Amino acid sequence: MKKLTTVEIDGAASDVWVEVPENEPAAWPKDAEMAVLGKALPRVDAYEKVSGRAKYTHDLNLPHMLWMKTLRSPTPHAKIVSIDTSKAEALPGVKLVLTHKNAPDIPWYAGRSKLFDTTLRFVGDEVAAVVAADEHIAADALALIDIEYDELAYVLDPETALQPDAPAIHEGGNLMQGRPFVYSRGDADKGFAEADHVVEATFRSPCQVHACLETHCSVAQWQGDKLTVWDSTQAVHPNREALARALELPIANVRVICLYSGGGFGSKLGLNKYTVAAAVAARALGRPVKVTLDREEEALAAGNRPANLMTIRAGCKKDGTLTALYMKNIGSVGAYPAGAGAGAPLREIFKCPNVKTEESNVFINADVARPHRAPGHVQGTWALEQALDMLAAKCGLDPLDFRLRNYSETDQVRNLPYSTKGLRQCYERGAAAFGWHDRAARRAQSRGAKKRGFGLATQIWGGAGGPPGYAIVNLYADGTAHVFSGCQDIGTASRTSMLQVAAEELGLTPDKLSITMGDTQGTPYGGVSGGSRTTPSQAPPVRMAAAEVKRQLLELAARQMNLPAERLATRDAFVFDTQNPSTRKPIAEVTRAGLTGPGAGPENMLIGKGWRGPNPDDVSISSWGAQFAEVEVDTDTGEVRVVKIVAAHEAGRVINPLTGSSQIEGGVIQGMGFALYEERVLNNASGRMVNSNLHDYKIPTAKDMPEIECVLVDLPDARANSVGIKGLGEPPIIPTAGAIANAVADALGARVFEAPITPQRVLDALARGKGGSGGATLSP
Amino acid sequence: MKKLTTVEIDGAASDVWVEVPENEPAAWPKDAEMAVLGKALPRVDAYEKVSGRAKYTHDLNLPHMLWMKTLRSPTPHAKIVSIDTSKAEALPGVKLVLTHKNAPDIPWYAGRSKLFDTTLRFVGDEVAAVVAADEHIAADALALIDIEYDELAYVLDPETALQPDAPAIHEGGNLMQGRPFVYSRGDADKGFAEADHVVEATFRSPCQVHACLETHCSVAQWQGDKLTVWDSTQAVHPNREALARALELPIANVRVICLYSGGGFGSKLGLNKYTVAAAVAARALGRPVKVTLDREEEALAAGNRPANLMTIRAGCKKDGTLTALYMKNIGSVGAYPAGAGAGAPLREIFKCPNVKTEESNVFINADVARPHRAPGHVQGTWALEQALDMLAAKCGLDPLDFRLRNYSETDQVRNLPYSTKGLRQCYERGAAAFGWHDRAARRAQSRGAKKRGFGLATQIWGGAGGPPGYAIVNLYADGTAHVFSGCQDIGTASRTSMLQVAAEELGLTPDKLSITMGDTQGTPYGGVSGGSRTTPSQAPPVRMAAAEVKRQLLELAARQMNLPAERLATRDAFVFDTQNPSTRKPIAEVTRAGLTGPGAGPENMLIGKGWRGPNPDDVSISSWGAQFAEVEVDTDTGEVRVVKIVAAHEAGRVINPLTGSSQIEGGVIQGMGFALYEERVLNNASGRMVNSNLHDYKIPTAKDMPEIECVLVDLPDARANSVGIKGLGEPPIIPTAGAIANAVADALGARVFEAPITPQRVLDALARGKGGSGGATLSP
């Protein structure tokens, strides 16, 4: 056992201990010849997906199922004076109307709200829910609920919210925790005083909604006192526990299933009110209840990446060596507690002795922020990398040379060496693939109003994963195996990755394995699929469980082959003698002979259990990447076209180049949306979102796609874990916007300080004139 | 590892090794004070069952599901000359007709038949299957299949089948393996020569069908190359493996589910043709397929307890000491290989130096025998116990005294001592509860034609269980736990028993636990629920898994309570200091503090795995029992009414007196059916069963019930396993018929040598006159 951390429970400090695996396999050596790992295996569920057989939560319709629709606040801040549901209840087909009057008092948002609250703090906050025979009746009934609201003053932007006379959304004011979060190392003032060049700029990043193609949804069904919830979620086991707490059930009585999900990006990490309301209604009515958010609800009330206003000051010596970095960040968390920090990249990526960040999380009357793929890092990197390009220009340095000059071999926040750091390879291989050093010649080819530009940006992400992570592997009498993981595959090909890890360790070909994920029944605990945790947290337990099975398999084989188990190994579905590899026996024959009982056929299985130990505390583990963007900007219309992105990433061992590239491409596309298209627009006069649909809220489409070239730096990290991997889920979205912004500035000779880079903002920047410094305005 | 046995695989001998658990808990001491074990806990699924919420396979209807019906041979022996399915296929709603022409060639019945064969060997043998939009269309379509049969000569009774000129059902003749199975110890001829008294009688027992209230049924559904089968089965994991073999799928691609089943009694142990056919059809059609046997099919083609013709000779000294026992048994296995032995009780129960049995398994043109609750033992005990009463009468000994005189302390077949043997307590406590020694006075109260009689019989059953058996126990952060077992609860309250074992070991109250059984997904391998194996095979792994969890729990608690883990124990959901029991902490607090991660709420679980080691080889482990019957026989009408049964049984530790008594009552009722009512009647002229329905085939009903008193002898067996239990599933059916038969003979002064004891047979016996010896006729 090893002490992991100390947490506060009911006011008392409690130590959290982790069992350190004793028989965890040692890391594979870097040059080990792999049979399955690193190979471009197509996804194991590819057929299900392309044939439409893969069933998502939206697809599930149970016999006797009812539908729930939610009435949401039409006003950004109000108290409910009265609510009359009688007309709605009288509508034929309506089974139940839930409001604060009859729903259980389940605390929500860290106790600042309830499942159904009488104070509404944003447009979209839950007022009531109708359960009816179908969704159309439920929707009709919503309009029949009579409510009298006492409308309150509201505030939509964080700077106004911080004014002393701003409407207070919560007691204690609109600044979360009453103070900014301040980080400091060295002496920033001294660092700026020592600088030869200093730049300062203010950057404004948009509120980006997750825009999941499968909107949030759940189906709840009871059998006696046992609840099954099909939920489009990134966290079946944590949500099971949260449901158990909310409904005061034993954890064991709750089952959560999510076999496939159509996008989450962080917005499906936690438990949702509608899921609990559906479970409450299903229990009351004795029938299954389904709830799906429509596209507008998805935009209004499913979470978002918060908007940030970031002022960055950066100073360096003539040779480009950084002397000081500073960021002031104001982030809007929405109506309830959340996080809106953006300073991590500035604190972490580049070598700098004097760093200070001051960050304020501010309540506004809008939907609550939720983790959105690389929270904080996307906007923080976008701002930082632009400021660095401005500083590099002052020094007359190539942007890549400037970054290499400030390359850090250590984690300066934790004061630890990195386990491995492949950023230099990302820069070098990415630049080579991109033709970074030929860009002057390519820029000269620009014709007329369409200007070419080139930019790059860097990425750090703490993709170490860690406990909890468990796995069970069964090897059957026919020599096939099954992997049980409590995690879920949220579209990132986790099933395929885990299966490859197990196949490699067992020495089986992938066709001999199958896997269960996304179902709490019969799987050991798995954590959230978020924070790029899934692979580094789950793959080591899967390997350990497979190794435990292999140990037993080799014992059986040793007796059958009359050889010591230590001399035996497995590969390609054979057990073989390492001293004489032609002496071998199919694994299926070993299991059949070793596990077949005296009766009629196979009767047994081998079982292995694996779990995740804590990370080493003498190194820092991070994933790395650099992206290079080529853009073409039409200086007449202001339109930006991304021509090409080269994305070079290092996340330890490459498990599967196909799925790794797929992960990178998805990140680049989403990062492009942040850079160029996506922005929640609130109407100040009503507090409502004006683009709560996919017609007005633009996400990148197939026609917007640039050429994307993925460079996977394969650098197994033996200190990270036994599989040598780090997380790759979030990294690829992080540097895209910064690379594009720098490329746009390169093309224009003028910089757009506000994302998304819309045609109007491009034209405004051109009108404002060429400038190496400047910033966004301080009000919207 | 320990060598369990040697089996033949593809002609080569292979050793089967079992991993011996190193950390299996020691057996609980006999006088341990139990908190949960031994308590009368109501079934954990009682609410589901009485409320109708428990879903059986018959209840399952999936979207887009199709129905399959089977065309069965109308003739006992034939070859299919031609088959034309075109009219059936043309019927609107028919999707597929499967016959030998288009179905895969899957071998069946040890290679003597196929999924659809062209030779039919009994009325009910599968000819074709129709899959249609509903079951009525499917049934209509069966009548549209045109078939030309070449009818062959047939034979329905085993004595005729053994004649040289009998129609041969298989090559090699109708005697299975070409020879009787012969057992001999000592010298039977010499034993009879030494005897002062010898009796000989011939007994005829009926073919008893299982008559499951939920007829056999399956639903098959594919998702891609993965198959899920809901099956009313006693063996989810073995059937999963059998399905994988039949369909050439990886075991991991098959899931079998049976959450509740309405009776099996051995007839649902193996894989059935209709299940495979439904899976084949579902794959071909891309839709789920359901098949349910109707009541006639259930009688014709779902298995049975074979009919036996048993001649017993028994000899003893004047004082009642047995000198020799002999049995000749002819059993009808039906049209394909099966077992029809009945000699085991004679070889095993009573002390006797000279024993010989000669047993022939004979093919006839009728449905195949399958294990039926205590196969062989019911009919063998029924015959033996009558012969012993006849011998006791010759000696002038009380039947109970006679049996006690021949009490054996050792297993004479294996030449080993018994681990424990509570038969003496069963005799003593049963006799006391019954008032055995007052029966002369009670017999004298008989009035008129209604004669009272009293009888007893004895039971042995090898209820040791054994490997394979696995369990996984999870303890969650809220202090609740879940047990995963690959076995199934076939109505015997296994869920409740396993939960009690886990609760006892964990020190949790039963309301904190839940359990999954009957689903191969996420459960470790479990064997068949047959042979009274479930509890003795499954409970020790459950305890071992719980102990492994408790070890981890106490480590967490030790750190929190600053006490060595060795000093801590659990009870009533608390961890407490064994040296100072008032120092205690709720388990839920220990888990919450110890497993709650640094983030939002509980994030972890403790996992324990347990498995079943082999039984010791220096003792013999058996379950024991004695039953006492009081009957009233109407000598005018021949009707027998059972007034009272006292059933005293010893099967090691009593886990739950409620569910144990329920098990015994069910056995007694079924044994009464064998004794008095049940008999498959075949029409010699057609080869068809004439009573293939529950109107003509009589099973006991509520109005037939006697008073049943259960005596549970609680005798924890430390040599058997860590829980101290033996099997109780089959024992209670074994002695009932013998006790009733002896009571009827006691009432009449004449003996009925043929079961069931119908009124006609009673009147025949009375007409034949009082007789201590005699026997059934040799032809039906």
Side-chain angles (χ1 to χ4, degrees):
Chain A
M1 302 280 283
K2 181 186 160 102
K3 185 172 154 186
L4 185 64
T5 185
T6 302
V7 295
E8 192 184 299
I9 296 179
D10 297 343
S14 280
D15 293 340
V16 175
W17 293 80
V18 178
E19 192 155 10
V20 180
E22 282 167 25
N23 50 348
E24 192 173 20
W28 276 300
K30 276 190 196 179
D31 55 354
E33 193 198 332
M34 294 291 171
V36 184
L37 273 190
K39 302 294 186 278
L41 191 71
R43 292 178 187 229
V44 296
D45 45 15
Y47 175 75
E48 275 73 20
K49 290 190 168 185
V50 299
S51 65
R53 286 168 185 262
K55 293 297 172 214
Y56 293 71
T57 308
H58 262 258
D59 296 324
L60 186 75
N61 293 302
L62 298 174
H64 312 299
M65 190 179 80
L66 301 171
W67 286 78
M68 191 177 93
K69 292 293 286 180
T70 305
L71 182 66
R72 297 181 178 278
S73 175
T75 171
H77 204 186
K79 281 187 189 296
I80 296 173
V81 177
S82 69
I83 186 161
D84 180 356
T85 58
S86 57
K87 273 185 276 176
E89 284 161 347
L91 185 70
V94 169
K95 305 295 180 186
L96 180 68
V97 181
L98 282 175
T99 69
H100 67 89
K101 293 200 255 185
N102 60 350
D105 256 0
I106 297 172
W108 214 268
Y109 296 131
R112 292 181 189 240
S113 177
K114 297 187 295 189
L115 186 61
F116 291 98
D117 198 358
T118 52
T119 301
L120 308 169
R121 297 180 179 88
F122 69 93
V123 173
D125 223 349
E126 285 80 356
V127 175
V130 170
V131 182
D134 67 41
E135 61 179 323
H136 308 292
I137 297 172
D140 287 350
L142 293 183
L144 298 176
I145 300 175
D146 287 325
I147 309 175
E148 188 185 340
Y149 294 107
D150 177 11
E151 299 206 12
L152 307 174
Y154 61 89
V155 58
L156 298 181
D157 78 279
E159 295 150 283
T160 311
L162 288 176
Q163 301 303 316
D165 57 348
I169 300 170
H170 296 284
E171 279 183 33
N174 294 333
L175 179 59
M176 254 181 72
Q177 298 174 304
R179 58 180 194 280
F181 166 72
V182 177
Y183 168 86
S184 179
R185 72 168 176 264
D187 182 336
D189 290 340
K190 181 166 154 283
F192 285 116
E194 290 168 4
D196 296 317
H197 302 293
V198 173
V199 296
E200 179 174 320
T202 297
F203 301 89
R204 181 180 296 276
S205 68
C207 172
Q208 180 185 26
V209 300
H210 298 71
C212 304
L213 290 189
E214 185 196 28
T215 62
H216 286 55
C217 53
S218 302
V219 182
Q221 182 181 42
W222 291 83
Q223 282 198 296
D225 58 351
K226 294 188 172 58
L227 171 65
T228 299
V229 170
W230 291 262
D231 193 19
S232 188
T233 179
Q234 300 173 238
V236 292
H237 273 278
N239 266 11
R240 173 203 208 189
E241 299 193 340
L243 268 167
R245 276 198 304 279
L247 299 168
E248 295 178 9
L249 294 168
I251 292 172
N253 281 16
V254 181
R255 178 179 182 187
V256 177
I257 302 171
C258 179
L259 300 185
Y260 295 95
S261 109
F265 315 113
S267 69
K268 292 177 179 168
L269 280 173
L271 186 63
N272 292 288
K273 281 189 176 183
Y274 60 80
T275 310
V276 176
V280 166
R283 182 158 52 179
L285 297 167
R287 289 168 65 176
V289 173
K290 179 172 184 174
V291 55
T292 64
L293 268 57
D294 63 26
R295 183 54 60 191
E296 179 166 41
E297 290 178 287
E298 187 76 6
L300 288 182
N304 51 73
R305 177 191 305 282
N308 289 86
L309 186 67
M310 297 166 282
T311 297
I312 292 181
R313 195 180 311 135
C316 68
K317 292 285 190 188
K318 282 182 185 150
D319 68 352
T321 307
L322 286 168
T323 58
L325 288 168
Y326 168 78
M327 176 193 269
K328 182 180 180 188
N329 166 35
I330 298 173
S332 57
V333 299
Y336 297 103
L346 185 134
R347 296 189 289 269
E348 293 173 9
I349 303 186
F350 293 105
K351 188 169 175 183
C352 183
N354 307 299
V355 175
K356 186 172 187 182
T357 58
E358 296 177 291
E359 307 197 73
S360 298
N361 293 324
V362 183
F363 293 122
I364 60 171
N365 286 110
D367 184 22
V368 192
R370 288 180 110 165
H372 187 316
R373 201 171 185 174
H377 276 246
V378 170
Q379 56 269 50
T381 300
W382 166 79
L384 172 67
E385 291 278 337
Q386 292 190 75
L388 294 185
D389 258 25
M390 291 158 65
L391 199 55
K394 290 230 177 193
C395 302
L397 278 173
D398 178 281
L400 179 52
D401 292 341
F402 181 87
R403 284 161 178 84
L404 285 167
R405 185 145 308 173
N406 294 291
Y407 199 86
S408 177
E409 297 292 350
T410 60
D411 177 336
Q412 301 161 91
V413 175
R414 295 175 62 204
N415 199 21
L416 287 175
Y418 290 115
S419 54
T420 53
K421 180 172 177 176
L423 179 59
R424 196 179 299 274
Q425 293 95 310
C426 292
Y427 281 139
E428 288 169 1
R429 291 183 51 195
F434 184 79
W436 178 255
H437 299 293
D438 308 332
R439 65 194 194 285
R442 285 151 69 198
R443 190 184 299 115
Q445 293 172 359
S446 297
R447 291 279 174 274
K450 295 190 175 176
K451 306 293 184 195
R452 292 267 163 147
F454 306 87
L456 72 82
T458 310
Q459 160 263 315
I460 184 174
W461 182 259
Y470 295 87
I472 286 175
V473 172
N474 294 340
L475 181 65
Y476 302 107
D478 66 352
T480 65
H482 197 91
V483 180
F484 294 91
S485 159
C487 259
Q488 44 284 312
D489 187 337
I490 57 168
T492 57
S494 304
R495 284 188 180 88
T496 311
S497 313
M498 298 306 151
L499 197 144
Q500 285 181 274
V501 170
E504 186 68 50
E505 180 63 33
L506 289 168
L508 280 173
T509 48
D511 60 305
K512 306 284 187 202
L513 285 101
S514 59
I515 183 163
T516 297
M517 296 185 90
D519 185 348
T520 60
Q521 175 169 309
T523 59
Y525 189 92
V528 300
S529 283
S532 306
R533 295 178 53 90
T534 308
T535 312
S537 302
Q538 275 293 307
V542 166
R543 186 182 172 202
M544 183 175 159
E548 167 61 14
V549 164
K550 187 168 75 174
R551 183 191 62 71
Q552 299 172 59
L553 172 71
L554 295 183
E555 276 189 38
L556 292 176
R559 291 173 193 285
Q560 295 173 19
M561 297 169 76
N562 288 318
L563 287 167
E566 307 76 55
R567 252 177 73 169
L568 298 176
T570 57
R571 195 177 176 97
D572 301 333
F574 282 86
V575 176
F576 67 96
D577 177 2
T578 50
Q579 295 181 19
N580 179 15
S582 64
T583 300
R584 63 180 204 165
K585 187 172 179 179
I587 288 176
E589 281 186 23
V590 175
T591 51
R592 198 153 57 109
L595 300 176
T596 299
E603 290 205 321
N604 215 323
M605 60 167 62
L606 301 179
I607 303 177
K609 165 189 155 191
W611 69 98
R612 180 60 154 88
N615 289 310
D617 49 16
D618 59 343
V619 291
S620 176
I621 301 167
S622 285
S623 301
W624 302 95
Q627 291 185 10
F628 299 81
E630 176 175 355
V631 301
E632 185 182 76
V633 188
D634 187 323
T635 51
D636 285 343
T637 65
E639 280 178 294
V640 176
R641 183 170 74 87
V642 182
V643 177
K644 178 166 186 174
I645 300 279
V646 170
H649 289 273
E650 184 266 304
R653 180 186 300 282
V654 175
I655 289 191
N656 184 328
L658 269 185
T659 62
S661 297
S662 175
Q663 186 74 283
I664 291 174
E665 288 170 9
V668 166
I669 293 166
Q670 215 165 13
M672 216 176 103
F674 175 91
L676 300 180
Y677 311 124
E678 299 186 45
E679 179 170 23
R680 179 182 74 182
V681 180
L682 300 179
N683 179 338
N684 250 327
S686 67
R688 298 188 192 173
M689 179 174 176
V690 300
N691 57 344
S692 57
N693 58 70
L694 289 181
H695 180 81
D696 296 314
Y697 183 97
K698 303 291 189 193
I699 59 173
T701 66
K703 289 194 73 177
D704 302 312
M705 286 305 101
E707 181 188 348
I708 302 173
E709 184 174 340
C710 301
V711 175
L712 290 158
V713 175
D714 188 22
L715 199 65
D717 185 341
R719 295 303 313 281
N721 50 62
S722 67
V723 183
I725 45 168
K726 303 182 286 196
L728 185 62
E730 280 146 314
I733 194 183
I734 297 176
T736 313
I740 291 173
N742 282 335
V744 169
D746 182 49
L748 298 180
R751 190 165 290 278
V752 180
F753 292 92
E754 191 164 357
I757 304 178
T758 58
Q760 184 63 51
R761 287 173 182 153
V762 167
L763 297 178
D764 288 350
L766 281 171
R768 206 167 56 234
K770 304 185 185 261
S773 69
T777 52
L778 284 183
S779 44
Chain B
M1 301 281 283
K2 181 184 159 103
K3 185 173 153 185
L4 185 65
T5 183
T6 303
V7 295
E8 193 184 297
I9 297 178
D10 297 342
S14 281
D15 292 340
V16 176
W17 293 81
V18 179
E19 193 156 8
V20 181
E22 280 166 28
N23 49 348
E24 192 173 20
W28 276 300
K30 276 188 196 180
D31 54 356
E33 192 198 335
M34 294 292 171
V36 184
L37 273 191
K39 302 295 187 277
L41 190 72
R43 291 178 186 228
V44 295
D45 46 13
Y47 174 76
E48 274 74 20
K49 289 190 169 185
V50 299
S51 65
R53 285 170 186 258
K55 294 297 172 214
Y56 293 71
T57 308
H58 263 258
D59 296 324
L60 185 74
N61 292 304
L62 298 175
H64 312 299
M65 190 179 79
L66 301 171
W67 285 79
M68 192 178 90
K69 293 292 288 180
T70 306
L71 182 66
R72 297 180 178 279
S73 176
T75 170
H77 204 185
K79 280 186 188 300
I80 297 173
V81 178
S82 68
I83 186 161
D84 179 355
T85 58
S86 55
K87 274 186 276 178
E89 284 161 347
L91 185 70
V94 169
K95 306 294 180 186
L96 180 69
V97 182
L98 283 174
T99 69
H100 67 88
K101 293 201 256 183
N102 60 348
D105 257 2
I106 297 172
W108 215 268
Y109 296 132
R112 291 178 191 243
S113 176
K114 295 187 297 190
L115 186 61
F116 292 99
D117 198 359
T118 52
T119 301
L120 307 168
R121 296 180 179 88
F122 68 94
V123 173
D125 223 349
E126 285 80 356
V127 174
V130 170
V131 182
D134 68 41
E135 62 180 322
H136 308 293
I137 297 173
D140 287 350
L142 294 184
L144 297 177
I145 301 175
D146 287 324
I147 310 176
E148 188 186 339
Y149 294 108
D150 176 11
E151 299 207 11
L152 306 174
Y154 61 88
V155 60
L156 297 180
D157 77 278
E159 295 150 282
T160 311
L162 289 176
Q163 301 303 316
D165 57 348
I169 299 170
H170 295 285
E171 277 184 33
N174 295 331
L175 179 59
M176 252 180 72
Q177 299 175 301
R179 60 181 191 278
F181 166 72
V182 178
Y183 168 87
S184 180
R185 73 168 175 263
D187 182 337
D189 289 342
K190 180 168 153 284
F192 285 115
E194 290 168 6
D196 296 318
H197 302 294
V198 173
V199 296
E200 179 174 318
T202 297
F203 300 88
R204 182 180 295 274
S205 68
C207 172
Q208 180 185 25
V209 300
H210 298 72
C212 304
L213 290 189
E214 185 196 28
T215 61
H216 286 56
C217 53
S218 303
V219 182
Q221 182 180 40
W222 291 82
Q223 282 199 296
D225 59 351
K226 294 189 171 55
L227 171 65
T228 299
V229 169
W230 291 262
D231 194 20
S232 188
T233 180
Q234 300 173 237
V236 290
H237 273 279
N239 266 11
R240 173 203 209 190
E241 300 193 339
L243 267 167
R245 276 198 302 280
L247 299 169
E248 296 178 4
L249 294 169
I251 292 172
N253 280 17
V254 182
R255 177 180 182 186
V256 176
I257 302 170
C258 180
L259 300 184
Y260 295 95
S261 110
F265 315 113
S267 70
K268 292 177 180 168
L269 281 173
L271 185 64
N272 292 289
K273 281 189 178 184
Y274 60 80
T275 310
V276 176
V280 166
R283 182 160 50 179
L285 297 167
R287 289 169 64 177
V289 173
K290 179 171 184 173
V291 55
T292 65
L293 268 58
D294 63 24
R295 183 55 60 190
E296 179 165 41
E297 290 179 287
E298 187 75 6
L300 289 182
N304 52 73
R305 179 191 304 284
N308 289 87
L309 186 68
M310 298 166 281
T311 298
I312 291 181
R313 195 180 311 135
C316 69
K317 291 287 188 188
K318 282 182 185 151
D319 67 354
T321 306
L322 285 167
T323 58
L325 287 168
Y326 168 78
M327 175 192 271
K328 181 181 179 187
N329 166 35
I330 298 174
S332 57
V333 299
Y336 297 104
L346 185 135
R347 296 190 289 269
E348 294 173 10
I349 303 186
F350 293 105
K351 188 171 175 182
C352 183
N354 306 300
V355 174
K356 186 172 185 183
T357 57
E358 295 176 293
E359 307 196 76
S360 298
N361 293 323
V362 183
F363 293 121
I364 60 170
N365 288 109
D367 185 22
V368 192
R370 287 179 111 165
H372 188 317
R373 201 171 184 174
H377 275 244
V378 169
Q379 56 269 50
T381 300
W382 165 79
L384 172 68
E385 291 279 335
Q386 292 191 76
L388 294 184
D389 258 27
M390 291 159 65
L391 199 56
K394 290 230 176 192
C395 304
L397 279 172
D398 178 280
L400 179 52
D401 293 340
F402 181 86
R403 284 162 178 83
L404 285 167
R405 184 142 312 170
N406 295 292
Y407 198 86
S408 177
E409 296 292 351
T410 60
D411 177 336
Q412 301 162 92
V413 174
R414 295 174 62 204
N415 199 22
L416 288 174
Y418 289 115
S419 54
T420 53
K421 180 171 178 177
L423 179 58
R424 196 179 299 275
Q425 293 94 309
C426 293
Y427 282 138
E428 289 169 0
R429 291 183 51 195
F434 185 78
W436 178 256
H437 300 293
D438 308 333
R439 65 195 195 283
R442 284 151 69 197
R443 190 184 297 116
Q445 293 172 359
S446 296
R447 291 278 175 272
K450 295 190 174 177
K451 306 295 185 195
R452 292 268 165 147
F454 306 85
L456 73 83
T458 310
Q459 161 263 312
I460 183 174
W461 182 259
Y470 295 87
I472 286 174
V473 171
N474 294 341
L475 180 64
Y476 302 109
D478 66 351
T480 64
H482 197 92
V483 181
F484 295 90
S485 159
C487 258
Q488 43 284 313
D489 186 337
I490 58 169
T492 57
S494 304
R495 283 190 182 87
T496 311
S497 313
M498 297 307 149
L499 197 145
Q500 285 181 274
V501 170
E504 186 68 48
E505 180 63 33
L506 288 169
L508 280 173
T509 48
D511 60 305
K512 305 282 187 205
L513 284 102
S514 60
I515 184 164
T516 297
M517 297 184 90
D519 186 347
T520 60
Q521 175 168 310
T523 60
Y525 191 92
V528 300
S529 283
S532 305
R533 295 177 53 90
T534 309
T535 313
S537 303
Q538 274 294 305
V542 167
R543 186 181 172 205
M544 183 175 159
E548 167 62 14
V549 164
K550 188 168 74 175
R551 182 191 64 71
Q552 300 171 57
L553 172 71
L554 295 184
E555 276 188 40
L556 291 177
R559 291 172 194 284
Q560 295 172 21
M561 297 169 76
N562 288 318
L563 286 168
E566 306 76 54
R567 252 176 73 169
L568 298 176
T570 57
R571 196 178 177 97
D572 302 332
F574 281 86
V575 176
F576 68 95
D577 178 2
T578 51
Q579 293 182 21
N580 179 16
S582 64
T583 300
R584 63 180 202 165
K585 186 171 181 179
I587 287 176
E589 281 186 22
V590 174
T591 51
R592 199 154 54 110
L595 300 176
T596 298
E603 292 206 320
N604 217 322
M605 59 168 62
L606 301 179
I607 304 178
K609 165 188 155 191
W611 69 96
R612 180 62 155 87
N615 290 309
D617 50 16
D618 59 343
V619 291
S620 176
I621 300 167
S622 286
S623 300
W624 303 95
Q627 291 185 13
F628 300 81
E630 177 175 356
V631 301
E632 184 182 74
V633 188
D634 188 323
T635 52
D636 286 343
T637 65
E639 280 178 295
V640 175
R641 183 171 74 86
V642 182
V643 178
K644 178 166 186 175
I645 300 280
V646 170
H649 288 273
E650 183 265 304
R653 180 186 301 282
V654 175
I655 288 192
N656 184 328
L658 269 184
T659 62
S661 297
S662 175
Q663 188 74 282
I664 291 174
E665 287 171 8
V668 166
I669 294 164
Q670 216 166 13
M672 217 178 105
F674 175 91
L676 300 179
Y677 311 123
E678 299 185 44
E679 180 171 21
R680 178 182 75 182
V681 180
L682 301 179
N683 179 339
N684 251 326
S686 67
R688 298 190 192 170
M689 180 174 176
V690 300
N691 57 344
S692 57
N693 58 70
L694 290 181
H695 180 82
D696 297 313
Y697 183 96
K698 302 291 190 194
I699 60 172
T701 66
K703 288 196 74 178
D704 302 313
M705 286 305 102
E707 181 189 349
I708 302 173
E709 185 174 339
C710 301
V711 175
L712 289 158
V713 174
D714 187 22
L715 199 65
D717 185 340
R719 294 304 312 281
N721 50 62
S722 67
V723 183
I725 46 170
K726 302 181 287 195
L728 186 62
E730 279 145 315
I733 195 185
I734 297 175
T736 313
I740 290 172
N742 282 336
V744 168
D746 182 51
L748 298 179
R751 189 164 290 276
V752 179
F753 292 93
E754 192 165 355
I757 304 177
T758 57
Q760 184 61 51
R761 287 172 182 154
V762 168
L763 297 178
D764 287 350
L766 281 171
R768 203 166 58 233
K770 304 183 185 264
S773 71
T777 54
L778 285 184
S779 44

